[in-house]
Amino acid sequence: MAILPIYEVPHPILKQVAKPVVSVDDRVRRLLDDMAETMYAANGVGLAAPQVGASERILVAAVPLRGGWSEETEEDEEVGTKAFLTEVINPEIIEREGTLLYDEGCLSVPEFSLEVERSERIVIRALDRHGDPFEFQARGFYAVVFQHEIDHLDGVTLYDRMSALKRALYLKKLKKMRKNGAGSNPNPPEPTP
Ligand code: NI
């Protein structure tokens, strides 16, 4: 397994609509493994393939999936740690219910958070790491995580949700941060197809 570089805004790969996975093979499984390793190393709760330079509809989340449900319980202290991993390929949201507001952050938009309105409960249809279809429900914070990561697959980040003025100020701040070498990655390698 390898820790991959994380692409940050305004890198163009984050704006692309990612392509569906046609064949879930060893290459895809390796990418899933590397994405999980990268997510844990960065203390992220979710990571989408475009964030590591692969424009493909793949995401991982450090949240549990139990009996077709991904819902927070009081025992979930290990969220964001290696205790939990949900792998999702070619996800589609086939049902939505309710709304909630959540203050979201993103590994590709460092030092920034934004309140976003999301569906409170969703049903996702996807493929697992063996290429088999499965469905699950996600609720609350975990539903937010999956919706955030699926946004990445559609080329949408928190950066795109900022006003033009906010975006300009943020880029300025980011540039300054990078000059100080503050934990960001200004020049990731060119994406692999
Ligand atoms: Ni993100």
Side-chain angles (χ1 to χ4, degrees):
M1 286 201 262
I3 294 173
L4 306 169
I6 294 174
Y7 290 68
E8 294 176 356
V9 293
H11 197 286
I13 194 155
L14 296 168
K15 292 283 284 180
Q16 279 177 33
V17 177
K19 290 195 180 65
V21 174
V22 177
S23 160
V24 182
D25 53 15
D26 286 344
R27 182 194 65 84
V28 170
R29 284 184 279 276
R30 210 158 35 234
L31 179 57
L32 281 165
D33 292 342
D34 290 346
M35 284 171 63
E37 198 64 22
T38 303
M39 170 178 68
Y40 296 135
N43 294 315
V45 184
L47 190 71
Q51 293 182 274
V52 292
S55 192
E56 299 179 78
R57 303 191 79 82
I58 300 173
L59 65 89
V60 293
V63 303
L65 185 56
R66 311 174 183 100
W69 272 92
S70 188
E71 187 176 22
E72 207 164 5
T73 69
E74 278 172 20
E75 296 91 68
D76 286 357
E77 281 162 21
E78 291 97 350
V79 164
T81 73
K82 292 187 183 187
F84 295 135
L85 177 62
T86 298
E87 300 172 319
V88 180
I89 299 166
N90 294 351
E92 268 179 89
I93 299 176
I94 57 171
E95 240 181 87
R96 296 177 177 275
E97 193 186 358
T99 55
L100 88 169
L101 282 173
Y102 203 89
D103 203 30
E104 299 181 19
C106 180
L107 295 173
S108 294
V109 191
E111 303 293 320
F112 180 76
S113 71
L114 184 70
E115 200 168 68
V116 181
E117 187 179 298
R118 301 287 189 185
S119 299
E120 200 275 328
R121 185 187 71 90
I122 55 172
V123 178
I124 291 178
R125 179 182 293 158
L127 299 178
D128 67 14
R129 63 156 44 223
H130 307 292
D132 295 323
F134 72 113
E135 276 181 28
F136 66 99
Q137 308 209 37
R139 179 168 261 167
F141 170 56
Y142 297 170
V144 169
V145 173
F146 288 107
Q147 287 169 87
H148 176 111
E149 300 312 328
I150 290 170
D151 265 5
H152 276 296
L153 306 183
D154 293 326
V156 177
T157 65
L158 298 182
Y159 180 71
D160 301 297
R161 294 176 180 272
M162 296 179 201
S163 67
L165 175 65
K166 222 170 172 183
R167 219 176 286 165
L169 289 172
Y170 175 72
L171 276 190
K172 216 183 227 175
K173 177 179 150 182
L174 205 57
K175 210 169 153 188
K176 205 167 159 189
M177 243 170 59
R178 284 170 177 160
K179 213 157 65 191
N180 298 333
S184 69
N185 184 23
N187 297 304
E190 279 311 301
T192 47

